[in-house]
Amino acid sequence: MKNNFDRHLICPWCSKGEVLVDGKAKVTVSVMCPKCQHIYTGDLDTLKTKKDVAQKRLGRNR
């Protein structure tokens, strides 16, 4: 099985770290930059990123 990670979400804080995505969807993900360790959100539909802060976990949904 071959994965083509052809979409890249670039960190808005340092512009060096990136997250690879293999598809488009109407989903927003929260990501921690592998280079600078800052948190940002990325929209997988438009591939735009914005600076954000970490959110506290409310627990596991069951």
Side-chain angles (χ1 to χ4, degrees):
M1 186 169 126
K2 181 181 176 189
N3 288 332
N4 293 331
F5 295 105
D6 55 351
R7 292 171 173 78
H8 304 260
L9 298 175
I10 305 297
C11 176
W13 295 93
C14 68
S15 299
K16 294 180 185 175
E18 66 180 352
V19 175
L20 305 177
V21 181
D22 66 345
K24 271 179 94 169
K26 292 193 176 216
V27 176
T28 302
V29 294
S30 176
V31 181
M32 182 168 59
C33 177
K35 299 279 184 183
C36 68
Q37 309 300 312
H38 282 100
I39 305 293
Y40 62 96
T41 56
D43 187 357
L44 298 185
D45 192 28
T46 61
L47 298 177
K48 293 188 179 185
T49 59
K50 68 176 187 174
K51 296 177 181 179
D52 208 354
V53 295
Q55 301 293 316
K56 184 177 181 180
R57 274 193 160 182
L58 297 176
R60 184 175 173 188
N61 293 337
R62 294 178 193 237

